[in-house]
Amino acid sequence: MAFAQLKTYTEKDYYSLPEDVRAELIDGQIYYMAVPGRIHQEILNYINNSVYNHIRSKGGNCRIYPAPFAVKLFADNDKTIVEPDISVICDPDKLTDRGCTGAPDWIVEIISPSTASDDYIRKLNLYANAGVREYWIINPMEKFIYVYFLEKDRFKAMYYTFHDKVNVNIFESFGLT
C-alpha cells in the first residue's frame, strides 16, 4: 500500500499565492497564517515604532520591517520563506525588492494560540540555523517574552515579563519597557 506524499512547494509557489493570503513556506510546506488580533497589532506597533525611533536617533544603518515582509532565510534554498512579525536587518546587501535574502539580525514573533508550537520550536531552530542573531517570542496571553541571543559564541536565553525592561542585545544601551 502506498502512502500519500506531501507536495513540496517552492519560492515560485509562495509568490503565486493571492496577495490577500498570509502564509509562510518552511521546508517546502505552506503554513497559512491567521489575521492578527488587536493586542498583537498594538504590541507590534509599539516595538516597531520604538526600534525605528532608536535606529533613526542613532543614525544607524539597520532597517526594521513589520509583517507582511518576506524573509528568504537561506539564499540557496527556495523552500523556506518566512514572514516574521518584525524583522531588523543591519546589512543593506540582504534587502531586495521582494524583502530580505539571508538572516535578519533580529526577529520578533508575537504568538497566538494557533502558532505557539511553530514559534517556540520550529522557528527557534530555523532562525538559529539561519544565523539570526536575536529572536524574541512574545506571548500576549501570558504576558511574557523569551529572548534568545543566538550568536554561537555568546548564546543565551532569557525570560521577561511585560513589567521588565528588556534589553536588545544587538544594540548597545537600548531596551524596551
Side-chain angles (χ1 to χ4, degrees):
M1 172 195 293
F3 290 100
Q5 294 188 3
L6 292 175
K7 177 176 168 58
T8 299
Y9 296 93
T10 66
E11 181 177 0
K12 181 179 176 186
D13 298 308
Y14 171 83
Y15 284 113
S16 296
L17 293 170
E19 284 189 27
D20 63 339
V21 172
R22 290 198 62 217
E24 294 181 309
L25 175 66
I26 301 175
D27 296 327
Q29 298 303 302
I30 292 179
Y31 296 88
Y32 293 97
M33 301 162 62
V35 174
R38 180 184 62 82
I39 300 300
H40 177 283
Q41 292 303 91
E42 286 179 7
I43 293 169
L44 184 142
N45 283 330
Y46 171 74
I47 294 172
N48 187 72
N49 292 339
S50 298
V51 173
Y52 174 83
N53 289 333
H54 173 75
I55 292 169
R56 190 168 166 218
S57 74
K58 298 294 184 188
N61 292 329
C62 298
R63 299 290 178 257
I64 182 168
Y65 298 94
F69 181 75
V71 175
K72 183 177 178 182
L73 288 169
F74 307 95
D76 59 348
N77 178 340
D78 71 343
K79 293 179 180 61
T80 299
I81 299 174
V82 293
E83 288 190 13
D85 289 313
I86 295 176
S87 301
V88 176
I89 297 101
C90 298
D91 178 355
D93 292 337
K94 291 181 180 181
L95 296 172
T96 69
D97 289 340
R98 286 194 153 165
C100 174
T101 298
D105 293 88
W106 178 22
I107 287 178
V108 176
E109 296 281 9
I110 304 162
I111 68 166
S112 65
S114 65
T115 65
S117 64
D118 282 339
D119 293 329
Y120 286 120
I121 300 167
R122 181 179 319 197
K123 288 186 178 176
L124 173 59
N125 288 314
L126 184 64
Y127 295 158
N129 290 334
V132 172
R133 294 173 56 205
E134 187 162 351
Y135 175 41
W136 289 20
I137 301 172
I138 299 176
N139 184 324
M141 294 80 62
E142 301 293 331
K143 297 186 171 142
F144 64 75
I145 303 165
Y146 282 114
V147 173
Y148 297 92
F149 192 56
L150 302 172
E151 289 188 351
K152 290 181 179 23
D153 60 336
R154 293 178 34 206
F155 177 88
K156 57 184 170 178
M158 294 148 295
Y159 170 87
Y160 299 92
T161 72
F162 277 20
H163 301 290
D164 298 323
K165 178 180 181 186
V166 184
N167 290 322
V168 179
N169 293 283
I170 67 163
F171 296 134
E172 197 171 303
S173 303
F174 177 66
L176 297 170
T177 53

